[in-house]
Every structure is written in C-alpha cells, then in structure tokens.
Amino acid sequence: MASERPHTGRRRNEAAREAILDAAVDLLGRSGPAVTIGMIAEAAGVGKQTIYRWWPSKGAVLLEAMSRRAADTAPGTDTGTLAGDLTAFLTDTFLGAAEESARAALRAVMAEALRDEPAAEVLAEFTARRRGALREILERGQARGELPRDADLELMIDQAYGLLWYRVLIGHAPLTREVARSLARTLAG
C-alpha cells in the first residue's frame, strides 16, 4: 500500500498520480499485458475512479508510465562528440529495453496501442519525445560538422528505433551494449 496521502475529494491529486505511474511501471514489468486497472489501483492505494480521472484507458496509463521510465533511463547526455552522444544514448536506451521487465512492458504497451485509440495517442506522443531526444543529438552533430548538412536525420532515427523495436517485438536477437555501440558507429559515419 502507498504511504498516506491527503484526501482531496474529486480533484486530481498529484501524489496519487505519481503512485499510479510508479505502480503501473512495476506491475507492467512483472505482469506484462495481464495488468489491470484494478491491479494498478490496489498497488497505488487508490480507487479505479482516481485512475480514470487522469487517463481514459489502461493503455494510456501504461504508456505514460513507460514514457517516464524511458526518459529516466536514457536522458541524452552531451559528451562533446556525435559518436560519444550516440553511444551513450543508444547504450542507455538499449540496455534499459533489454531488461526482461522492460521488454515485457514494451510488448504490452505496443499491444495496448494497437487496440486502444487513447493508448495509441499516448504512444505517438511518447514516440515523438524519444525521437526528439535522438534528433537533438543528431542536430548537435550536424552543428559541429560531424554529419553532413543534408543527412537524412529522420531515416537515421528510424534506423535506431527500428532496430530496437524489431528486437523487442520479434526477439530474434538481444539488445546489447555491443549492438548499441555498433549502431552508434554506423550512424556517426
């Protein structure tokens, strides 16, 4: 049970929201797609109605929780070089996604997004933020002259995240530090 929070009636309570997101990430990693709103509510110490005040669906809450975890896992460090920035970002991203609980959670949120429109919208926002973080790294590389001005940054971003999602969803090969470094070298040219 979560620690005591002040009761605020029908208003949204930020402490409850944080408890819900924490519980969702934890449960998603342990239970994958079997997570229910009831399980999240119980783990967070709130009622189901509290969750529905913040999010329109289970998929939406799960995706927001995953989005927060991804931002914490791969914040986007400026090392001073494109190769260094890409290596740090991709390594953090890949190793975060390689954890069994994270892989299960990513598969579950993708499944939710495929069948739930509010979840699909949250996934689109999440994807846009993660793509934006990688785009910043590539743009810094262009500004330093490490990438040509006419480099197709969108294709490079697709290559990075395409490899990640392919390996997460298909599972034919692992996401490792070595794979991240190799991809970073390839993208940095």
Side-chain angles (χ1 to χ4, degrees):
M1 239 5 192
S3 63
E4 289 295 316
R5 289 182 304 278
H7 179 66
T8 58
R10 296 191 54 80
R11 294 179 312 197
R12 291 180 178 181
N13 178 325
E14 190 59 34
R17 182 178 182 280
E18 292 300 314
I20 292 164
L21 290 171
D22 290 343
V25 167
D26 180 56
L27 288 167
L28 194 54
R30 287 189 285 126
S31 303
V35 172
T36 66
I37 289 291
M39 291 167 68
I40 296 169
E42 182 178 338
V46 302
K48 290 180 191 180
Q49 70 280 8
T50 301
I51 294 174
Y52 286 117
R53 278 188 207 119
W54 285 95
W55 298 276
S57 69
K58 175 181 88 168
V61 68
L62 294 177
L63 281 161
E64 185 171 333
M66 285 302 301
S67 176
R68 190 168 84 173
R69 178 183 174 171
D72 291 344
T73 302
T77 307
D78 186 350
T79 66
T81 68
L82 177 61
D85 292 353
L86 284 171
T87 298
F89 183 83
L90 293 173
T91 299
D92 289 346
T93 300
F94 282 21
L95 293 180
E99 296 172 13
E100 183 57 41
S101 63
R103 239 182 12 258
L106 288 169
R107 288 178 181 144
V109 297
M110 180 60 78
E112 281 295 317
L114 291 172
R115 61 187 164 91
D116 177 50
E117 188 58 36
E121 291 170 10
V122 176
L123 181 60
E125 292 168 13
F126 164 72
T127 302
R129 283 192 301 275
R130 299 309 301 154
R131 290 178 67 85
L134 184 50
R135 175 175 270 288
E136 284 181 28
I137 291 169
L138 297 172
E139 288 172 345
R140 279 197 311 260
Q142 277 184 320
R144 291 189 294 247
E146 297 172 283
L147 279 178
R149 284 273 168 220
D150 64 347
D152 188 342
L153 302 186
E154 291 303 310
L155 180 61
M156 295 172 79
I157 294 166
D158 284 347
Q159 289 172 320
Y161 286 117
L163 180 98
L164 180 141
W165 279 105
Y166 189 78
R167 289 190 177 202
V168 164
L169 295 174
I170 304 301
H172 78 288
L175 288 166
T176 64
R177 182 179 310 279
E178 294 73 28
V179 170
R181 288 179 179 158
S182 179
L183 180 59
R185 281 191 304 273
T186 299
L187 293 175

